[in-house]
Amino acid sequence: MLRRPGTFGSIYVRRRRICDSSLFNKKRRLASVATLSNHEIRLGQPLHGFTLKRQKHVPELQLTAYELQHDRTGAEYLHIDRDDKNNVFSIAFKTNPPDNTGVPHILEHTTLCGSEKYPIRDPFFKMLPRSLSNFMNAFTSSDHTSYPFATTNHQDFSNLLSVYLDATLNPLLKEHDFRQEGWRIGPKNPGQQQETKDSDDTLVFKGVVYNEMKGQMSDASYLYYIRFQDHIFPAINNSGGDPQKMTDLSYGDLKTFHARNYHPSNAKLFTYGNMPLADHIAEISRRLDRFDSSQADRNIKMPINLSGGPLYLTVKGPTDPLVDKEMQYKTSTSWLMGDTSDMVESFALRIMSSLLLDGYGSPLYRALIEAGLGPDWSPNTGYDSGGKVGIFSVGLNGVRKEDVPKVEEAIRSSLREIYETGFDDSKIDGLLHQAELGLKHKTANFGMGIMQRLQPGWFNGSDPLDMLAWNETVNAFKTKCAQEDYLKGLLEKYLLNENCLTFTMEPDENYGASLREEEDARLAKEIAGMTQSLGSEAEARAELINQELKLVDAQSKAPTEDLSCLPSVHVQDVPRDLERKPVRDSKVGDVKVQWREASTNGLTYFRAINALEGLPAELRILLPLFTDSLMRLGTKDKTMEQLEDLIKLKTGGIAVSYHSSTSPHDILKATEGLSLSVYALDSNVPAMYELLSTLIHQTNFDGPEAESRVRELLQGTANGALGSIASAGHSYARRYAEAGLTSQGLLNEQIGGLTQVQQTANLASRPSSESLSDIMAKLRAIQDFAVTKSSDFRTAITCGAESVSVNETALQGFLSTLKRSSKIPALDESQALDTTFATKSFFSLPYQVYYSALALPTVPYTHTSSAPLQILSQLLTHKHLHHEIREKGGAYGGGAYSRGLSGLFGFYSYRDPNPRNTLKIISNAGRWARDKRWTDQDLEEAKLSVFQSVDAPESVSDEGMTRFLSGVDEDMEQRKREQLLDVKKEDLVEVAQKYLVEGMGKARVAVLGEDKELFKGSEGWETKHLQMAEGSGGEPEV
């Protein structure tokens, strides 16, 4: 599958892929003029300082778009009127980065640290628990920065609009905020020299963004992608920031960049939803009217000229301990395409990219990955339409040195062959069918998806109204396709030439050590500069420590600030009664069926779970490989390419995955099984079930190529594992910590944790001369019992009332194809996995920062303490841990969580420079919470935080799924809702003492990071290593 860097923390990768058609939803509504709070405006008519320039109704998306311009400043404003209660706002600015210091990214953080109207520390984070928003964030993209939020509450929208506009247009930009969020030099643990044995006055580089980007650069896939962009788009510097250059940025540079770029004349505003435009346009205009028109850097940057190609570039990068030492190269070849503002051609190029790359049957997959040149696509592979000029890239990870030139040769040869044979019309039809389903599929975050789809093109010269005109684009594409060889012509025009860049990253075993040496030298140089200006090293050190203590003092005052200037919604705005989505139950033989009848726009959603009792760990750990194999091996009668074509033509996609759930009544009991998920047009329901049955029962594990395909899957998964851990290390640490506490914790670790990563790496490391026959035998054994017709099999169907009967008939046919219940085989005990987990585990991994987690067992979902524990997790995060771990400690993130269903309470830190200090803060968090004098306002804010997720908008396909997946019905949800609303301050003290203070002895801890000596000699710690290893055991090596 295509892998591409996405959103990392609060920074978007250099170029975002245009969102796919699944963002769109189809329903018709007519409108000819703008209806704005019961009065109409027409083109050219002024409205609160804006003028309506254009409007466009898009019936297939059930929306009308209005393009306005602010008369005084020229700010552009796009409002999308749609019958959707989840309203969205965004203000965004063109922010071409002048260098690699990351000034746009650091500015994104510091603008949110206080403003003229809200002159407190960090109003953005302090608004999180004072809101019912389901989305609040800020994103730094390659050439623009955006500040979006989404909420269903009218007052909340007004509150957040005020905070966002003031933060971006009138920030205080204090120097100590720049030092906290950007970079500084200071002691590791300031102010603790006289207090603790852990004091450390060693001077280091610090800063939230500095540590965020050190973690980002630890992801080899991100590093490859960003270095590729550095060379193909040198006109656009690294907006996120390169830590090696970040320390060149001064406070003055930051303020200058803001003054030049964060101006209404350089802004694009966006609103979406069912709230009338008149409800917010007056407030927006009032904020913008303070400014005059200004000239900003709105220059659209272009990539390098490749007309003199081919061009070859090689850079160095880190090695991956989970990948064969001989397969460490990454290489790709890229071509420049056409102007992305040509909507029809850009759409056609996306179609062509999918035809070339998507699926196991695609020609480039077969020519490159199936041919054994590498196990996985390079991070830049695909068509990138995020800039003014599109870029098409094809490449591989995990390439042998001698195969690097063969990759380019294979790409060129394959493209020439495709040109000779042409494109299959049925495959194009399949992709267009996927687009049709995407229009019909109703999502809860449609508005946010529209915003993210429009902004890159909008800032690079594309017409946002043209981008919304989906049917116009598709129909124009079909017209061109009716002409002979349209796609072949594009292939010849853009790809059958020498005007390309081949970009390669070669492994350097000393890469990590070189980074450390460079940072040490840079730090020494900075300190030497201060020494020269102040007269002595002692004075320089004293000044740096003094600056740090001043920052700590400012940070320490923040928790007691008067926040009365900040607006807030209230718990009374939260309905006490759950909005119910009724379901009904029926049976087909022994099989239970849950029905949710709703308006689905002509779609049927089918889910099923086959519970598996007594599953040995040695088979469980292979379930991810089994489910991947179902979508790779094909059957005796059909190749995987033929099956993929049918899936695209008849369904919206089929997913087979592992499922586990803790009992709502007992945290030590868990169920597990295989989950099936698929959706299709009502007219294609019989074909949908037939395909599902084919994949489950007819996948051929005995075919002549089955073993090589399974080996291919293993190598591809292992190749991307280290990057996956780098982008979500706290989640992996959390799973490992939880594994020793509950049954589901163990299951989740074996399926999706570090144990699974090590298992995959071990199997992937087997030489080709060594058979996988033992694994193939186990996969065949799993197939025999994976999905059977018994009381352990249950299904859920969401569809319109008009399609219930066709679904009943088709479901009966599907169930008749299932095998009767088959006994799960017992395996030789010598094959058993080690299921014991150390109390404290440290994983040595080549990252520049750390990820940590501590987990504790608590109570089941139905227990009366569950609600106050959820409230307490929010209080600890917002009132204590964010302040201590992020603001003072410099980690990119940190907090507490309470898993209501799994009965676990825990803590985590993310991209953390100082995990020892973090663990000390976490271990004392229970006492802090017990002794804290909580106020009514504290409790109010925590409840609001919880209900942001409880009451978040839900896609129609997800309605009724809580009951189906976990056994928690709406009556249980209603009781929990009432319990959450009724939590009292004394409840918090009680659960803090019982579960976080007295229960701390049951805690499990896991930390991931580089320094093997970090916990050496500390009591109870085990150090483990993830790496390629002989054999097929699953536990990471100690």
Side-chain angles (χ1 to χ4, degrees):
M1 59 181 284
L2 179 65
R3 286 189 182 171
R4 176 185 289 277
T7 305
F8 294 85
S10 67
I11 172 173
Y12 271 169
V13 171
R14 307 272 288 190
R15 292 284 180 199
R16 286 186 57 85
R17 246 182 117 193
I18 197 159
C19 296
D20 64 29
S21 59
S22 65
L23 289 170
F24 302 111
N25 175 0
K26 189 173 182 181
K27 198 170 179 181
R28 295 188 178 273
R29 182 168 60 91
L30 300 178
S32 58
V33 296
T35 302
L36 307 170
S37 190
N38 299 320
H39 71 275
E40 297 176 352
I41 65 167
R42 299 188 180 277
L43 296 181
Q45 181 179 336
L47 178 70
H48 295 290
F50 282 86
T51 298
L52 179 64
K53 296 293 186 181
R54 293 188 299 162
Q55 67 183 61
K56 188 179 187 71
H57 180 58
V58 187
E60 66 270 22
L61 303 185
Q62 190 198 350
L63 62 82
T64 303
Y66 306 102
E67 184 185 61
L68 304 100
Q69 187 171 44
H70 188 241
D71 300 332
R72 185 177 179 89
T73 65
E76 297 176 41
Y77 183 5
L78 182 67
H79 174 70
I80 294 180
D81 176 41
R82 190 167 183 268
D83 187 16
D84 186 344
K85 67 180 181 180
N86 196 21
N87 289 260
V88 176
F89 168 83
S90 169
I91 182 169
F93 305 91
K94 184 76 169 177
T95 50
N96 289 324
D99 48 41
N100 290 318
T101 60
V103 59
H105 188 190
I106 294 173
L107 181 59
E108 174 223 304
H109 281 241
T110 49
T111 55
L112 303 175
C113 290
S115 63
E116 289 181 8
K117 187 174 181 180
Y118 306 106
I120 57 172
R121 277 189 66 80
D122 219 350
F124 175 81
F125 279 100
K126 290 183 172 66
M127 276 300 295
L128 286 172
R130 301 169 76 91
S131 166
L132 286 170
S133 65
N134 54 80
F135 189 92
M136 281 179 66
N137 213 329
F139 299 120
T140 301
S141 299
S142 59
D143 58 4
H144 63 279
T145 306
S146 57
Y147 297 81
F149 67 78
T151 182
T152 61
N153 183 284
H154 284 238
Q155 184 59 52
D156 198 29
F157 191 100
S158 178
N159 294 347
L160 292 173
L161 178 68
S162 177
V163 172
Y164 268 58
L165 288 173
D166 207 57
T168 53
L169 298 175
N170 307 300
L172 298 179
L173 297 183
K174 293 182 179 179
E175 186 169 7
H176 60 242
D177 292 325
F178 165 71
R179 298 182 70 248
Q180 172 184 290
E181 298 296 317
W183 76 275
R184 65 190 187 277
I185 299 173
K188 273 190 175 182
N189 293 318
Q192 297 182 1
Q193 289 80 354
Q194 304 299 321
E195 300 175 20
T196 75
K197 63 181 181 181
D198 293 324
S199 64
D200 188 349
D201 61 359
T202 302
L203 294 176
V204 295
F205 283 122
K206 307 176 79 170
V208 171
V209 176
Y210 186 80
N211 287 317
E212 177 189 352
M213 294 313 297
K214 283 180 70 175
Q216 194 78 299
M217 292 295 194
S218 296
D219 180 347
S221 293
Y222 174 85
L223 182 65
Y224 179 88
Y225 187 79
I226 210 73
R227 294 295 182 239
F228 164 75
Q229 286 289 342
D230 288 343
H231 287 86
I232 202 166
F233 244 114
I236 296 183
N237 291 294
N238 186 344
S239 60
D242 186 332
Q244 295 182 348
K245 302 296 182 183
M246 200 174 287
T247 51
D248 293 336
L249 182 69
S250 71
Y251 172 56
D253 295 335
L254 182 87
K255 296 186 71 174
T256 299
F257 189 81
H258 178 272
R260 185 168 60 243
N261 294 283
Y262 277 47
H263 189 281
S265 298
N266 195 37
K268 297 186 189 298
L269 297 107
F270 174 91
T271 51
Y272 162 92
N274 63 2
M275 296 181 191
L277 174 59
D279 285 5
H280 16 269
I281 195 170
E283 172 65 9
I284 292 172
S285 183
R286 188 178 69 81
R287 297 301 186 95
L288 302 190
D289 282 343
R290 297 178 53 184
F291 297 85
D292 294 316
S293 180
S294 173
Q295 294 297 317
D297 180 13
R298 292 190 289 270
N299 185 30
I300 295 174
K301 305 296 185 180
M302 304 293 285
I304 60 174
N305 186 341
L306 291 176
S307 61
L311 180 63
Y312 295 88
L313 293 170
T314 301
V315 299
K316 294 186 181 299
T319 58
D320 187 334
L322 298 178
V323 175
D324 189 325
K325 291 182 179 179
E326 302 301 317
M327 299 172 64
Q328 297 278 342
Y329 282 76
K330 296 176 174 65
T331 188
S332 65
T333 299
S334 304
W335 290 263
L336 302 183
M337 311 299 272
D339 189 329
T340 54
S341 64
D342 184 336
M343 293 295 111
V344 179
E345 184 179 90
S346 192
F347 177 82
L349 291 172
R350 288 199 298 277
I351 292 288
M352 186 174 75
S353 175
S354 294
L355 292 169
L356 293 173
L357 293 163
D358 287 359
Y360 296 114
S362 64
L364 287 174
Y365 184 94
R366 293 199 308 265
L368 298 172
I369 296 177
E370 197 170 283
L373 292 175
D376 195 13
W377 297 119
S378 63
N380 59 336
T381 292
Y383 174 59
D384 183 347
S385 60
K388 179 65 174 174
V389 174
I391 300 172
F392 179 76
S393 303
V394 186
L396 296 176
N397 291 338
V399 180
R400 298 178 186 274
K401 181 178 181 179
E402 62 270 22
D403 287 342
V404 169
K406 296 178 185 177
V407 173
E408 182 192 359
E409 293 169 10
I411 293 169
R412 292 185 179 279
S413 175
S414 183
L415 291 175
R416 286 192 296 269
E417 182 179 339
I418 295 162
Y419 179 75
E420 294 299 325
T421 59
F423 294 99
D424 187 336
D425 288 342
S426 67
K427 293 182 184 294
I428 298 172
D429 291 341
L431 292 172
L432 293 177
H433 178 254
Q434 294 297 299
E436 180 188 0
L437 287 178
L439 289 172
K440 287 178 169 289
H441 178 52
K442 295 182 176 181
T443 64
N445 59 349
F446 183 93
M448 193 61 64
I450 284 282
M451 182 214 74
Q452 293 177 340
R453 174 180 179 265
L454 294 181
Q455 278 188 343
W458 195 9
F459 274 105
N460 282 283
S462 294
D463 187 327
L465 300 191
D466 286 347
M467 286 190 280
L468 288 169
W470 182 255
N471 275 356
E472 291 178 15
T473 299
V474 173
N475 290 335
F477 168 75
K478 289 179 179 178
T479 299
K480 286 183 176 289
C481 271
Q483 304 167 7
E484 188 175 358
D485 296 336
Y486 173 58
L487 288 179
K488 280 182 64 176
L490 293 178
L491 177 65
E492 181 181 29
K493 177 181 178 181
Y494 289 118
L495 301 181
L496 297 185
N497 58 63
E498 299 289 313
N499 304 327
C500 57
L501 165 67
T502 295
F503 184 77
T504 301
M505 180 174 281
E506 63 181 12
D508 179 0
E509 291 186 356
N510 298 316
Y511 187 83
S514 298
L515 286 181
R516 290 190 295 274
E517 290 172 5
E518 186 279 333
E519 185 178 52
D520 290 343
R522 185 161 32 94
L523 178 64
K525 183 178 178 181
E526 291 284 344
I527 294 173
M530 286 197 67
T531 298
Q532 185 174 2
S533 63
L534 293 177
S536 71
E537 184 176 343
E539 289 186 31
R541 176 177 290 275
E543 175 60 21
L544 289 168
I545 291 175
N546 183 53
Q547 289 178 7
E548 186 74 8
L549 293 178
K550 286 182 179 179
L551 176 59
V552 171
D553 182 60
Q555 292 168 334
S556 299
K557 293 175 180 176
T560 58
E561 278 185 304
D562 179 5
L563 305 183
S564 59
C565 65
L566 283 178
S568 180
V569 291
H570 303 284
V571 171
Q572 67 188 34
D573 298 320
V574 178
R576 191 167 182 85
D577 292 329
L578 177 74
E579 182 183 354
R580 293 181 179 257
K581 309 286 177 61
V583 298
R584 63 179 178 86
D585 296 315
S586 70
K587 265 193 169 186
V588 177
D590 292 333
V591 176
K592 297 176 183 177
V593 185
Q594 174 184 291
W595 295 89
R596 167 62 182 155
E597 295 172 29
S599 175
T600 61
N601 218 8
L603 297 175
T604 286
Y605 299 90
F606 173 81
R607 286 185 180 85
I609 292 175
N610 192 48
L612 302 173
E613 281 193 47
L615 184 64
E618 301 73 37
L619 293 182
R620 177 184 304 114
I621 204 166
L622 290 175
L623 285 177
L625 180 60
F626 172 76
T627 57
D628 286 346
S629 298
L630 293 181
M631 305 303 295
R632 177 65 187 101
L633 300 187
T635 69
K636 291 180 179 180
D637 301 325
K638 288 184 173 64
T639 66
M640 198 62 231
E641 179 181 2
Q642 292 171 322
L643 288 169
E644 285 176 334
D645 289 345
L646 287 170
I647 290 170
K648 289 175 183 176
L649 282 167
K650 300 298 182 181
T651 78
I654 295 175
V656 185
S657 59
Y658 176 81
H659 169 77
S660 67
S661 180
T662 299
S663 165
H665 310 287
D666 185 346
I667 67 171
L668 298 181
K669 292 182 179 179
T671 58
E672 63 178 329
L674 277 181
S675 169
L676 312 176
S677 178
V678 60
Y679 75 98
L681 294 169
D682 290 341
S683 58
N684 286 331
V685 162
M688 173 185 82
Y689 285 121
E690 182 180 349
L691 277 167
L692 196 57
S693 178
T694 298
L695 286 171
I696 294 166
H697 296 307
Q698 297 181 34
T699 294
N700 187 8
F701 288 92
D702 296 311
E705 296 181 334
E707 185 171 319
S708 65
R709 298 290 177 260
V710 168
R711 193 184 299 273
E712 181 186 295
L713 289 171
L714 288 166
Q715 291 176 345
T717 303
N719 192 274
L722 198 67
S724 297
I725 299 171
S727 63
H730 61 306
S731 296
Y732 282 90
R734 199 157 57 187
R735 283 192 204 101
Y736 200 83
E738 293 173 356
L741 298 175
T742 66
S743 299
Q744 192 188 11
L746 175 61
L747 302 180
N748 288 341
E749 168 59 23
Q750 291 179 346
I751 289 293
L754 297 172
T755 301
Q756 176 67 213
V757 170
Q758 183 65 70
Q759 163 81 2
T760 303
N762 289 345
L763 294 178
S765 71
R766 286 195 189 182
S768 56
S769 58
E770 184 178 340
S771 171
L772 289 175
S773 58
D774 57 326
I775 302 302
M776 301 304 295
K778 291 177 181 178
L779 294 177
R780 283 191 292 271
I782 293 172
Q783 187 180 30
D784 285 339
F785 63 77
V787 178
T788 58
K789 184 166 59 175
S790 70
S791 58
D792 294 325
F793 188 73
R794 66 183 192 273
T795 69
I797 296 175
T798 301
C799 64
E802 70 281 359
S803 59
V804 168
S805 60
V806 69
N807 270 285
E808 287 178 327
T809 302
L811 178 61
Q812 288 176 346
F814 169 68
L815 294 177
S816 69
T817 69
L818 299 185
K819 300 177 182 179
R820 286 290 173 184
S821 181
S822 178
K823 186 177 181 181
I824 297 175
L827 297 185
D828 186 337
E829 290 187 4
S830 64
Q831 301 180 42
L833 294 177
D834 181 5
T835 55
T836 59
F837 293 84
T839 304
K840 300 175 183 177
S841 301
F842 176 77
F843 287 85
S844 178
L845 290 167
Y847 304 142
Q848 300 177 60
V849 287
Y850 297 85
Y851 307 85
S852 61
L854 181 150
L856 296 155
T858 55
V859 296
Y861 180 88
T862 54
H863 195 282
T864 54
S865 292
S866 179
L869 282 166
Q870 279 187 264
I871 300 296
L872 181 60
S873 70
Q874 295 299 312
L875 286 166
L876 281 168
T877 296
H878 294 294
K879 300 297 182 181
H880 182 51
L881 299 174
H882 172 83
H883 174 66
E884 293 294 329
I885 297 173
R886 178 182 166 113
E887 292 183 351
K888 294 171 70 173
Y892 180 51
Y897 65 92
S898 178
R899 297 186 187 277
L901 185 59
S902 60
L904 293 166
F905 194 99
F907 305 85
Y908 66 93
S909 70
Y910 180 67
R911 292 179 179 166
D912 186 351
N914 194 354
R916 290 183 67 95
N917 187 54
T918 294
L919 290 178
K920 179 186 173 186
I921 293 166
I922 286 171
S923 64
N924 289 318
R927 294 183 182 86
W928 183 90
R930 178 197 62 193
D931 298 337
K932 172 75 173 176
R933 293 188 177 182
W934 299 110
T935 66
D936 293 338
Q937 181 64 31
D938 293 334
L939 198 57
E940 171 111 343
E941 292 178 5
K943 291 177 181 180
L944 289 173
S945 296
V946 168
F947 277 94
Q948 287 173 3
S949 57
V950 170
D951 285 348
E954 188 176 44
S955 301
V956 65
S957 58
D958 293 328
E959 293 174 0
M961 284 302 103
T962 298
R963 177 183 188 261
F964 178 71
L965 297 173
S966 68
V968 174
D969 62 28
E970 288 187 330
D971 289 338
M972 295 164 69
E973 287 189 88
Q974 178 63 36
R975 285 193 293 273
K976 174 58 73 66
R977 185 181 192 89
E978 294 169 3
Q979 290 169 351
L980 287 166
L981 290 169
D982 294 340
V983 168
K984 298 179 175 58
K985 288 178 280 187
E986 52 266 31
D987 299 331
L988 302 173
V989 174
E990 179 182 338
V991 296
Q993 172 63 26
K994 184 172 183 178
Y995 299 107
L996 306 191
V997 178
E998 297 172 14
M1000 189 57 71
K1002 301 175 183 177
R1004 300 296 180 101
V1005 183
V1007 177
L1008 283 56
E1010 188 173 36
D1011 187 358
K1012 303 177 183 64
E1013 307 298 314
L1014 186 66
F1015 294 103
K1016 188 175 182 180
S1018 299
E1019 184 178 354
W1021 283 92
E1022 283 190 9
T1023 298
K1024 299 171 179 285
H1025 305 273
L1026 292 180
Q1027 57 191 13
M1028 295 291 276
E1030 296 295 330
S1032 57
E1035 255 288 277
E1037 294 185 351
V1038 179

